Amino acid sequence: MKYYAIIVAGGKGNRMNLAVAKQFLELDGKPILMHTLEAFHQCVLNPVIILVLNIHQHLFWEELCTKHDFKVPHQVIKGGQERFDSVKNGLKVIKGKAVVAIHDAVRPLISAEVILQSYQMAEEKGNAITAIKPVDSVRIKREGQDSEALNRDELYLIQTPQTFQIEQLKKAYLQPYRNEFTDDASVVERAGFSIHLLQGERDNIKITYAQDLELASFLLNKKGS
């Protein structure tokens, strides 16, 4: 069995109001994206890493790799209009029997242990979707001003990696794009496959806002201490 990781790096930094895409922001001395690629490189299964990046950012990424002497082996391919299209482009370069993890570029704190577990579960069950339980109370907005409490014990907050046997992904990504495809699990579920949840990690945050970068730095330093 061969293992792959598709790292989706299409973010533009809009929520941070930044000119530079957030995956290139520095986290403890190097771009966030480099931390993410290193996490997968540290997995004992040695997955082949495919970085899906906006074509206009390829040269900038090469310059960053030179500047930081970044040696983690990876293949860079062109991103698409939507995340859906970027993943589809990543799948095109994968041949033969494989297990594929798809991961957000801006989740740099994922552990090698959870990456390994995701590959193992997907190999056994077909897929493995990393998720954590919410700790806050949760409500759903209804029409008008009404809202209704939900049982948080029945809810999960979905993370990445989301890992699949290649056959599921190849079939699922033959579908046309739909607005409700918010992640890979929703695409695969729409194709008729059952989704299996894997216990995630609270430290596996997605860097979206400026304060997330500060939290990531704190967690990274705590991890290394």
Side-chain angles (χ1 to χ4, degrees):
M1 181 66 69
K2 200 159 187 179
Y3 303 93
Y4 289 83
I6 296 176
I7 309 299
V8 187
K12 299 180 180 66
N14 292 344
R15 290 178 184 148
M16 289 189 180
N17 296 314
L18 297 170
V20 64
K22 57 191 175 182
Q23 61 264 22
F24 301 131
L25 294 176
E26 283 206 2
L27 171 61
D28 285 20
K30 60 188 172 189
I32 291 167
L33 182 52
M34 290 184 181
H35 291 278
T36 305
L37 267 60
E38 285 172 347
F40 279 84
H41 186 57
Q42 289 163 7
C43 176
V44 296
L45 295 177
N46 194 29
V48 175
I49 299 174
I50 300 166
L51 173 59
V52 189
L53 193 62
N54 185 302
I55 189 66
H56 301 296
Q57 297 171 339
H58 285 204
L59 180 58
F60 182 52
W61 174 244
E62 286 179 23
E63 292 169 349
L64 286 174
C65 288
T66 300
K67 176 184 174 182
H68 293 274
D69 194 29
F70 188 65
K71 301 296 188 186
V72 170
H74 62 284
Q75 178 180 358
V76 183
I77 67 168
K78 183 177 74 170
Q81 181 68 28
E82 303 287 345
R83 187 182 189 280
F84 177 90
D85 303 306
S86 291
V87 172
K88 199 168 184 176
N89 287 353
L91 291 173
K92 288 176 184 174
V93 303
I94 299 175
K95 309 297 181 188
K97 196 168 178 62
V99 180
V100 183
I102 304 170
H103 190 67
D104 298 324
V106 289
R107 289 188 188 269
L109 299 176
I110 183 64
S111 71
E113 292 78 18
V114 167
I115 293 170
L116 174 60
Q117 290 168 15
S118 74
Y119 282 121
Q120 291 172 333
M121 178 185 273
E123 195 165 351
E124 178 189 348
K125 297 187 175 183
N127 59 63
I129 310 306
T130 316
I132 58 173
K133 300 285 291 180
V135 294
D136 297 320
S137 295
V138 183
R139 300 186 69 83
I140 187 170
K141 184 80 163 56
R142 298 299 186 186
E143 286 187 24
Q145 298 301 310
D146 292 340
S147 67
E148 179 184 341
L150 298 178
N151 181 358
R152 68 184 175 195
D153 292 333
E154 297 177 352
L155 300 175
Y156 286 87
L157 306 177
I158 302 302
Q159 302 180 331
T160 64
Q162 299 186 6
T163 309
F164 307 85
Q165 292 180 11
I166 189 66
E167 294 84 1
Q168 291 191 2
L169 287 172
K170 292 280 191 181
K171 179 181 177 183
Y173 276 87
L174 289 174
Q175 301 174 96
Y177 173 73
R178 302 171 68 96
N179 286 332
E180 59 263 36
F181 288 161
T182 56
D183 64 355
D184 306 288
S186 59
V187 182
V188 169
E189 186 174 44
R190 178 81 187 181
F193 296 99
S194 297
I195 297 300
H196 304 280
L197 298 180
L198 171 69
Q199 180 62 47
E201 299 170 306
R202 302 223 168 257
D203 287 1
N204 182 24
I205 63 169
K206 184 178 183 181
I207 298 177
T208 306
Y209 300 101
Q211 57 266 40
D212 297 332
L213 199 57
E214 296 176 19
L215 177 57
S217 179
F218 169 78
L219 293 171
L220 194 63
N221 283 292
K222 189 182 79 169
K223 208 173 182 180
S225 61

